[in-house]
Amino acid sequence: MIDPRHLRGLASALALAAAFTAALPASAEPARAAPPARVGHAAQRAGSGQPARPARAAVVLPTALAPDAAERAAPLASALDGLLSDTAQDLGLSVDLEGRAASRSPVDEAELLERARSSDRLFIAPSLDLRGDEVELRLALASGGARSLRVRVERVERDDVAVRAAVMLRDLVAELDGAAASPPPGEEAPCAERCRGRLATPARSLGKATLAANATLYGGLVGFSIQRSSGSDDPRLLYPLLAVGAGIGLGGAIIIAEEWDVGVADAWYLGSGTWWPTIAGHLIYQGRFAEHAEEPIEERWAAGLIGGSAGITLAAMGLSLGRMSDGGALLAQSGGGLGLMLGGLVEWAARGDVQRTPIAGMGYGAALGWLAAAAAATQLDVTASEVLTVDVGALLGGLGAAALASPLVFDAPTEAQQRAWVGATAGGFLLGAGVAWCVTRPAAAGARSAGPSWNRFGLPMLGVIGESVVGSRRAPALGLGWQGAIP
């Protein structure tokens, strides 16, 4: 007989130790330090030990004006000339005032490229045009030996012209420097250079919400389990334990997501290790030990804590082997569910009595099914659609076989008839899963050309087969069809 004090003490220790420390996803990458701010090319070369190269000569041409805005934008163009000259010097360029022209007429771009090719200087050609209350600012940069211009065009408010002009010139020069410092073929550039110019970067810790939801719910369950396993039903103890447990779970999830890059699949894989072993612990104790215990309710909650703590620890060990895929996370969840059903069928077959709920068998099946699937998920490369197809095939096969063999359990069936019905159900379950796996598995290289495929005439399709239109209203038409090539 199990000693309640020993069982509750072991459950509390495992829950506190494993649930909030061993659950750290070791596969997630630690946060990297942010790259240092880019303060200039000279500072980077000085830090790397490379000798500073001479400043490049640049010519800032007078700001060109559109004919209809020559008089109104002349003061703004004069101020922009001085601003761009100062900005170019701040960017490490040596401004050559001798190459400037006095005209503010638009510069011919082909002529600008020709001038750049014939010298080793940079030519910066700004232009302005008035568009209502806004100013269209255009910057063109031509470098020596280049075959094309680098251009930036923006429409800004009059008060923002100075700021946007400085930013646009900085971006043009930085882009030119990045192209000049591009790595040789076959060598990958640093991320700071490689990712420049992207509109969006992947978010970090995409599984934060999933991890937080699972941790908060499980933390509340831990508090409730501790209260129930202690034998107390005082609400003054229950609600503080629920709040503390949920708060610790939520806070721990936030810290973990900030410290490690937790993906959605990682969070769901860890969640499978939380819930299925907890369910298995409750079922195994209720079906196997409850009738022999003095305090079955209290000890059952303690058994659930032990199962959940062990599951979190094993799931964390699985994540330490590498990142988890979406298919792997779904495989772990599926293993617990299918194992629960198979375990119940096995107990029914052993007892020969389908009228009695197979609680212990479902618990053992959920535990062993999750453990086998979680271990396989760390080694197999499967997709979520493949796992889902096998699950649907297993369920349809089991339900179909159970329906066909249902006459065996009508009226007053014998133990042999009940076992035959259970065997037929289990056989259909496994047959459906096997057929679904054969249909979804990828073909080997050259398999299609080696011979005709068994499903070359197509496969049945269940879903949307058309559309019903009545006036302006549309609705999908659901049905059964056949999809494939006509021989």
Side-chain angles (χ1 to χ4, degrees), residues 59-61 84 107 109 112 122-127 137-143 148-153 168-169 172:
V59 177
V60 181
L61 299 178
L84 292 178
V107 180
E109 294 183 351
L112 184 62
L122 300 179
F123 285 84
I124 302 170
S127 62
L137 176 61
R138 185 178 187 272
L139 284 183
L141 186 144
S143 59
S148 60
L149 293 176
R150 299 180 183 273
V151 180
R152 291 285 189 276
V153 180
M168 292 166 63
L169 181 58
L172 284 171

PDB file of all heavy atoms in Angstrom, residues 59-61 84 107 109 112 122-127 137-143 148-153 168-169 172:
ATOM      1  N   VAL A  59      31.635  65.558 -55.317  1.00  0.00           N
ATOM      2  CA  VAL A  59      31.164  66.813 -55.868  1.00  0.00           C
ATOM      3  C   VAL A  59      29.664  66.893 -55.609  1.00  0.00           C
ATOM      4  O   VAL A  59      28.900  66.032 -56.072  1.00  0.00           O
ATOM      5  CB  VAL A  59      31.457  66.923 -57.372  1.00  0.00           C
ATOM      6  CG1 VAL A  59      30.876  68.225 -57.920  1.00  0.00           C
ATOM      7  CG2 VAL A  59      32.949  66.846 -57.633  1.00  0.00           C
ATOM      8  N   VAL A  60      29.238  67.905 -54.833  1.00  0.00           N
ATOM      9  CA  VAL A  60      27.818  68.134 -54.577  1.00  0.00           C
ATOM     10  C   VAL A  60      27.339  69.193 -55.566  1.00  0.00           C
ATOM     11  O   VAL A  60      27.664  70.379 -55.446  1.00  0.00           O
ATOM     12  CB  VAL A  60      27.570  68.583 -53.128  1.00  0.00           C
ATOM     13  CG1 VAL A  60      26.085  68.788 -52.894  1.00  0.00           C
ATOM     14  CG2 VAL A  60      28.129  67.556 -52.152  1.00  0.00           C
ATOM     15  N   LEU A  61      26.596  68.747 -56.561  1.00  0.00           N
ATOM     16  CA  LEU A  61      26.108  69.665 -57.590  1.00  0.00           C
ATOM     17  C   LEU A  61      25.009  70.558 -57.018  1.00  0.00           C
ATOM     18  O   LEU A  61      24.321  70.182 -56.049  1.00  0.00           O
ATOM     19  CB  LEU A  61      25.571  68.872 -58.779  1.00  0.00           C
ATOM     20  CG  LEU A  61      26.586  67.960 -59.493  1.00  0.00           C
ATOM     21  CD1 LEU A  61      25.897  67.193 -60.610  1.00  0.00           C
ATOM     22  CD2 LEU A  61      27.746  68.768 -60.025  1.00  0.00           C
ATOM     23  N   LEU A  84      23.803  69.597 -47.695  1.00  0.00           N
ATOM     24  CA  LEU A  84      24.357  68.380 -48.283  1.00  0.00           C
ATOM     25  C   LEU A  84      25.881  68.395 -48.270  1.00  0.00           C
ATOM     26  O   LEU A  84      26.517  67.348 -48.084  1.00  0.00           O
ATOM     27  CB  LEU A  84      23.830  68.209 -49.705  1.00  0.00           C
ATOM     28  CG  LEU A  84      22.332  67.890 -49.828  1.00  0.00           C
ATOM     29  CD1 LEU A  84      21.923  67.805 -51.288  1.00  0.00           C
ATOM     30  CD2 LEU A  84      22.003  66.577 -49.113  1.00  0.00           C
ATOM     31  N   VAL A 107      20.023  68.069 -64.332  1.00  0.00           N
ATOM     32  CA  VAL A 107      21.233  67.466 -64.886  1.00  0.00           C
ATOM     33  C   VAL A 107      20.851  66.273 -65.753  1.00  0.00           C
ATOM     34  O   VAL A 107      19.975  65.466 -65.394  1.00  0.00           O
ATOM     35  CB  VAL A 107      22.177  67.016 -63.752  1.00  0.00           C
ATOM     36  CG1 VAL A 107      23.444  66.385 -64.314  1.00  0.00           C
ATOM     37  CG2 VAL A 107      22.519  68.199 -62.868  1.00  0.00           C
ATOM     38  N   GLU A 109      21.213  62.728 -66.882  1.00  0.00           N
ATOM     39  CA  GLU A 109      21.739  61.580 -66.158  1.00  0.00           C
ATOM     40  C   GLU A 109      22.823  60.856 -66.944  1.00  0.00           C
ATOM     41  O   GLU A 109      23.803  60.358 -66.370  1.00  0.00           O
ATOM     42  CB  GLU A 109      20.598  60.615 -65.823  1.00  0.00           C
ATOM     43  CG  GLU A 109      19.603  61.205 -64.836  1.00  0.00           C
ATOM     44  CD  GLU A 109      18.521  60.219 -64.460  1.00  0.00           C
ATOM     45  OE1 GLU A 109      18.451  59.143 -65.108  1.00  0.00           O
ATOM     46  OE2 GLU A 109      17.741  60.512 -63.523  1.00  0.00           O
ATOM     47  N   LEU A 112      25.869  62.794 -66.427  1.00  0.00           N
ATOM     48  CA  LEU A 112      26.378  62.603 -65.065  1.00  0.00           C
ATOM     49  C   LEU A 112      27.144  61.291 -64.940  1.00  0.00           C
ATOM     50  O   LEU A 112      28.217  61.227 -64.322  1.00  0.00           O
ATOM     51  CB  LEU A 112      25.199  62.627 -64.090  1.00  0.00           C
ATOM     52  CG  LEU A 112      25.546  62.544 -62.599  1.00  0.00           C
ATOM     53  CD1 LEU A 112      26.396  63.729 -62.173  1.00  0.00           C
ATOM     54  CD2 LEU A 112      24.282  62.465 -61.765  1.00  0.00           C
ATOM     55  N   LEU A 122      32.840  61.006 -56.507  1.00  0.00           N
ATOM     56  CA  LEU A 122      31.400  60.796 -56.397  1.00  0.00           C
ATOM     57  C   LEU A 122      30.677  62.076 -56.786  1.00  0.00           C
ATOM     58  O   LEU A 122      31.077  63.163 -56.388  1.00  0.00           O
ATOM     59  CB  LEU A 122      31.014  60.415 -54.959  1.00  0.00           C
ATOM     60  CG  LEU A 122      31.620  59.141 -54.361  1.00  0.00           C
ATOM     61  CD1 LEU A 122      31.140  58.962 -52.935  1.00  0.00           C
ATOM     62  CD2 LEU A 122      31.255  57.940 -55.200  1.00  0.00           C
ATOM     63  N   PHE A 123      29.616  61.924 -57.540  1.00  0.00           N
ATOM     64  CA  PHE A 123      28.804  63.068 -57.935  1.00  0.00           C
ATOM     65  C   PHE A 123      27.431  62.923 -57.289  1.00  0.00           C
ATOM     66  O   PHE A 123      26.741  61.910 -57.477  1.00  0.00           O
ATOM     67  CB  PHE A 123      28.677  63.144 -59.462  1.00  0.00           C
ATOM     68  CG  PHE A 123      29.912  63.645 -60.138  1.00  0.00           C
ATOM     69  CD1 PHE A 123      30.961  62.783 -60.447  1.00  0.00           C
ATOM     70  CD2 PHE A 123      30.043  64.993 -60.454  1.00  0.00           C
ATOM     71  CE1 PHE A 123      32.108  63.244 -61.063  1.00  0.00           C
ATOM     72  CE2 PHE A 123      31.187  65.455 -61.074  1.00  0.00           C
ATOM     73  CZ  PHE A 123      32.226  64.596 -61.370  1.00  0.00           C
ATOM     74  N   ILE A 124      27.042  63.940 -56.519  1.00  0.00           N
ATOM     75  CA  ILE A 124      25.766  63.954 -55.818  1.00  0.00           C
ATOM     76  C   ILE A 124      24.912  65.037 -56.463  1.00  0.00           C
ATOM     77  O   ILE A 124      25.268  66.218 -56.446  1.00  0.00           O
ATOM     78  CB  ILE A 124      25.950  64.233 -54.326  1.00  0.00           C
ATOM     79  CG1 ILE A 124      26.884  63.183 -53.698  1.00  0.00           C
ATOM     80  CG2 ILE A 124      24.609  64.259 -53.601  1.00  0.00           C
ATOM     81  CD1 ILE A 124      27.322  63.506 -52.292  1.00  0.00           C
ATOM     82  N   ALA A 125      23.792  64.622 -57.052  1.00  0.00           N
ATOM     83  CA  ALA A 125      22.938  65.536 -57.808  1.00  0.00           C
ATOM     84  C   ALA A 125      21.572  65.601 -57.150  1.00  0.00           C
ATOM     85  O   ALA A 125      20.728  64.717 -57.358  1.00  0.00           O
ATOM     86  CB  ALA A 125      22.813  65.085 -59.260  1.00  0.00           C
ATOM     87  N   PRO A 126      21.297  66.639 -56.332  1.00  0.00           N
ATOM     88  CA  PRO A 126      19.961  66.797 -55.744  1.00  0.00           C
ATOM     89  C   PRO A 126      19.042  67.595 -56.657  1.00  0.00           C
ATOM     90  O   PRO A 126      19.493  68.376 -57.503  1.00  0.00           O
ATOM     91  CB  PRO A 126      20.254  67.559 -54.451  1.00  0.00           C
ATOM     92  CG  PRO A 126      21.469  68.368 -54.778  1.00  0.00           C
ATOM     93  CD  PRO A 126      22.272  67.589 -55.791  1.00  0.00           C
ATOM     94  N   SER A 127      17.757  67.401 -56.484  1.00  0.00           N
ATOM     95  CA  SER A 127      16.766  68.162 -57.239  1.00  0.00           C
ATOM     96  C   SER A 127      15.517  68.313 -56.398  1.00  0.00           C
ATOM     97  O   SER A 127      15.210  67.459 -55.555  1.00  0.00           O
ATOM     98  CB  SER A 127      16.438  67.489 -58.577  1.00  0.00           C
ATOM     99  OG  SER A 127      15.870  66.211 -58.372  1.00  0.00           O
ATOM    100  N   LEU A 137      11.722  65.491 -53.150  1.00  0.00           N
ATOM    101  CA  LEU A 137      13.180  65.551 -53.033  1.00  0.00           C
ATOM    102  C   LEU A 137      13.776  64.332 -53.710  1.00  0.00           C
ATOM    103  O   LEU A 137      13.367  63.202 -53.434  1.00  0.00           O
ATOM    104  CB  LEU A 137      13.582  65.607 -51.556  1.00  0.00           C
ATOM    105  CG  LEU A 137      15.072  65.570 -51.231  1.00  0.00           C
ATOM    106  CD1 LEU A 137      15.791  66.765 -51.837  1.00  0.00           C
ATOM    107  CD2 LEU A 137      15.281  65.540 -49.712  1.00  0.00           C
ATOM    108  N   ARG A 138      14.753  64.607 -54.574  1.00  0.00           N
ATOM    109  CA  ARG A 138      15.397  63.529 -55.332  1.00  0.00           C
ATOM    110  C   ARG A 138      16.900  63.652 -55.205  1.00  0.00           C
ATOM    111  O   ARG A 138      17.455  64.733 -55.414  1.00  0.00           O
ATOM    112  CB  ARG A 138      14.981  63.576 -56.800  1.00  0.00           C
ATOM    113  CG  ARG A 138      15.503  62.426 -57.654  1.00  0.00           C
ATOM    114  CD  ARG A 138      14.968  62.568 -59.080  1.00  0.00           C
ATOM    115  NE  ARG A 138      15.275  61.431 -59.907  1.00  0.00           N
ATOM    116  CZ  ARG A 138      16.385  61.291 -60.623  1.00  0.00           C
ATOM    117  NH1 ARG A 138      17.309  62.267 -60.615  1.00  0.00           N
ATOM    118  NH2 ARG A 138      16.584  60.220 -61.367  1.00  0.00           N
ATOM    119  N   LEU A 139      17.564  62.550 -54.845  1.00  0.00           N
ATOM    120  CA  LEU A 139      19.026  62.512 -54.747  1.00  0.00           C
ATOM    121  C   LEU A 139      19.528  61.417 -55.661  1.00  0.00           C
ATOM    122  O   LEU A 139      19.071  60.268 -55.583  1.00  0.00           O
ATOM    123  CB  LEU A 139      19.495  62.243 -53.318  1.00  0.00           C
ATOM    124  CG  LEU A 139      19.429  63.385 -52.303  1.00  0.00           C
ATOM    125  CD1 LEU A 139      20.003  62.927 -50.969  1.00  0.00           C
ATOM    126  CD2 LEU A 139      20.185  64.593 -52.808  1.00  0.00           C
ATOM    127  N   ALA A 140      20.481  61.768 -56.510  1.00  0.00           N
ATOM    128  CA  ALA A 140      21.120  60.801 -57.406  1.00  0.00           C
ATOM    129  C   ALA A 140      22.611  60.790 -57.110  1.00  0.00           C
ATOM    130  O   ALA A 140      23.227  61.843 -56.955  1.00  0.00           O
ATOM    131  CB  ALA A 140      20.860  61.149 -58.862  1.00  0.00           C
ATOM    132  N   LEU A 141      23.183  59.611 -57.018  1.00  0.00           N
ATOM    133  CA  LEU A 141      24.609  59.466 -56.716  1.00  0.00           C
ATOM    134  C   LEU A 141      25.256  58.621 -57.800  1.00  0.00           C
ATOM    135  O   LEU A 141      24.776  57.516 -58.112  1.00  0.00           O
ATOM    136  CB  LEU A 141      24.801  58.826 -55.344  1.00  0.00           C
ATOM    137  CG  LEU A 141      26.241  58.742 -54.814  1.00  0.00           C
ATOM    138  CD1 LEU A 141      26.264  58.956 -53.303  1.00  0.00           C
ATOM    139  CD2 LEU A 141      26.860  57.388 -55.134  1.00  0.00           C
ATOM    140  N   ALA A 142      26.336  59.148 -58.368  1.00  0.00           N
ATOM    141  CA  ALA A 142      27.105  58.429 -59.387  1.00  0.00           C
ATOM    142  C   ALA A 142      28.530  58.283 -58.890  1.00  0.00           C
ATOM    143  O   ALA A 142      29.157  59.256 -58.487  1.00  0.00           O
ATOM    144  CB  ALA A 142      27.077  59.174 -60.713  1.00  0.00           C
ATOM    145  N   SER A 143      29.041  57.064 -58.880  1.00  0.00           N
ATOM    146  CA  SER A 143      30.406  56.796 -58.418  1.00  0.00           C
ATOM    147  C   SER A 143      31.293  56.470 -59.606  1.00  0.00           C
ATOM    148  O   SER A 143      30.815  56.067 -60.678  1.00  0.00           O
ATOM    149  CB  SER A 143      30.409  55.639 -57.416  1.00  0.00           C
ATOM    150  OG  SER A 143      29.877  54.471 -58.015  1.00  0.00           O
ATOM    151  N   SER A 148      25.451  52.625 -63.408  1.00  0.00           N
ATOM    152  CA  SER A 148      24.084  53.036 -63.095  1.00  0.00           C
ATOM    153  C   SER A 148      24.113  54.024 -61.944  1.00  0.00           C
ATOM    154  O   SER A 148      25.095  54.124 -61.202  1.00  0.00           O
ATOM    155  CB  SER A 148      23.216  51.821 -62.722  1.00  0.00           C
ATOM    156  OG  SER A 148      23.753  51.170 -61.592  1.00  0.00           O
ATOM    157  N   LEU A 149      23.032  54.760 -61.807  1.00  0.00           N
ATOM    158  CA  LEU A 149      22.880  55.733 -60.732  1.00  0.00           C
ATOM    159  C   LEU A 149      22.178  55.090 -59.539  1.00  0.00           C
ATOM    160  O   LEU A 149      21.353  54.180 -59.696  1.00  0.00           O
ATOM    161  CB  LEU A 149      22.051  56.928 -61.205  1.00  0.00           C
ATOM    162  CG  LEU A 149      22.660  57.841 -62.284  1.00  0.00           C
ATOM    163  CD1 LEU A 149      21.634  58.886 -62.679  1.00  0.00           C
ATOM    164  CD2 LEU A 149      23.930  58.494 -61.783  1.00  0.00           C
ATOM    165  N   ARG A 150      22.503  55.587 -58.364  1.00  0.00           N
ATOM    166  CA  ARG A 150      21.786  55.216 -57.144  1.00  0.00           C
ATOM    167  C   ARG A 150      20.895  56.396 -56.802  1.00  0.00           C
ATOM    168  O   ARG A 150      21.387  57.504 -56.598  1.00  0.00           O
ATOM    169  CB  ARG A 150      22.748  54.901 -56.010  1.00  0.00           C
ATOM    170  CG  ARG A 150      23.665  53.725 -56.328  1.00  0.00           C
ATOM    171  CD  ARG A 150      24.609  53.434 -55.177  1.00  0.00           C
ATOM    172  NE  ARG A 150      25.516  52.374 -55.526  1.00  0.00           N
ATOM    173  CZ  ARG A 150      25.273  51.075 -55.370  1.00  0.00           C
ATOM    174  NH1 ARG A 150      24.105  50.701 -54.839  1.00  0.00           N
ATOM    175  NH2 ARG A 150      26.149  50.163 -55.719  1.00  0.00           N
ATOM    176  N   VAL A 151      19.585  56.153 -56.718  1.00  0.00           N
ATOM    177  CA  VAL A 151      18.618  57.238 -56.618  1.00  0.00           C
ATOM    178  C   VAL A 151      17.709  56.999 -55.418  1.00  0.00           C
ATOM    179  O   VAL A 151      17.312  55.855 -55.128  1.00  0.00           O
ATOM    180  CB  VAL A 151      17.778  57.357 -57.905  1.00  0.00           C
ATOM    181  CG1 VAL A 151      16.771  58.502 -57.793  1.00  0.00           C
ATOM    182  CG2 VAL A 151      18.682  57.560 -59.115  1.00  0.00           C
ATOM    183  N   ARG A 152      17.388  58.089 -54.726  1.00  0.00           N
ATOM    184  CA  ARG A 152      16.373  58.094 -53.680  1.00  0.00           C
ATOM    185  C   ARG A 152      15.392  59.225 -53.970  1.00  0.00           C
ATOM    186  O   ARG A 152      15.807  60.341 -54.273  1.00  0.00           O
ATOM    187  CB  ARG A 152      16.989  58.316 -52.297  1.00  0.00           C
ATOM    188  CG  ARG A 152      17.828  57.158 -51.780  1.00  0.00           C
ATOM    189  CD  ARG A 152      16.915  56.026 -51.338  1.00  0.00           C
ATOM    190  NE  ARG A 152      17.668  54.996 -50.653  1.00  0.00           N
ATOM    191  CZ  ARG A 152      18.330  54.007 -51.246  1.00  0.00           C
ATOM    192  NH1 ARG A 152      18.307  53.939 -52.582  1.00  0.00           N
ATOM    193  NH2 ARG A 152      18.975  53.109 -50.565  1.00  0.00           N
ATOM    194  N   VAL A 153      14.099  58.943 -53.879  1.00  0.00           N
ATOM    195  CA  VAL A 153      13.064  59.940 -54.118  1.00  0.00           C
ATOM    196  C   VAL A 153      12.054  59.855 -52.987  1.00  0.00           C
ATOM    197  O   VAL A 153      11.580  58.756 -52.641  1.00  0.00           O
ATOM    198  CB  VAL A 153      12.356  59.726 -55.475  1.00  0.00           C
ATOM    199  CG1 VAL A 153      11.283  60.791 -55.686  1.00  0.00           C
ATOM    200  CG2 VAL A 153      13.363  59.748 -56.616  1.00  0.00           C
ATOM    201  N   MET A 168      18.687  60.535 -46.541  1.00  0.00           N
ATOM    202  CA  MET A 168      18.781  59.930 -47.864  1.00  0.00           C
ATOM    203  C   MET A 168      20.218  59.861 -48.345  1.00  0.00           C
ATOM    204  O   MET A 168      20.657  58.852 -48.925  1.00  0.00           O
ATOM    205  CB  MET A 168      17.916  60.724 -48.849  1.00  0.00           C
ATOM    206  CG  MET A 168      16.418  60.602 -48.592  1.00  0.00           C
ATOM    207  SD  MET A 168      15.431  61.836 -49.487  1.00  0.00           S
ATOM    208  CE  MET A 168      15.781  61.369 -51.178  1.00  0.00           C
ATOM    209  N   LEU A 169      20.989  60.929 -48.106  1.00  0.00           N
ATOM    210  CA  LEU A 169      22.397  60.905 -48.512  1.00  0.00           C
ATOM    211  C   LEU A 169      23.168  59.870 -47.712  1.00  0.00           C
ATOM    212  O   LEU A 169      24.033  59.165 -48.257  1.00  0.00           O
ATOM    213  CB  LEU A 169      23.002  62.298 -48.331  1.00  0.00           C
ATOM    214  CG  LEU A 169      24.475  62.437 -48.729  1.00  0.00           C
ATOM    215  CD1 LEU A 169      24.681  62.038 -50.192  1.00  0.00           C
ATOM    216  CD2 LEU A 169      24.974  63.864 -48.488  1.00  0.00           C
ATOM    217  N   LEU A 172      22.417  56.465 -49.188  1.00  0.00           N
ATOM    218  CA  LEU A 172      23.086  56.243 -50.478  1.00  0.00           C
ATOM    219  C   LEU A 172      24.562  55.909 -50.295  1.00  0.00           C
ATOM    220  O   LEU A 172      25.097  54.988 -50.928  1.00  0.00           O
ATOM    221  CB  LEU A 172      22.918  57.475 -51.358  1.00  0.00           C
ATOM    222  CG  LEU A 172      21.544  57.677 -52.013  1.00  0.00           C
ATOM    223  CD1 LEU A 172      21.469  59.040 -52.678  1.00  0.00           C
ATOM    224  CD2 LEU A 172      21.285  56.578 -53.030  1.00  0.00           C
TER     225      LEU A 172
END
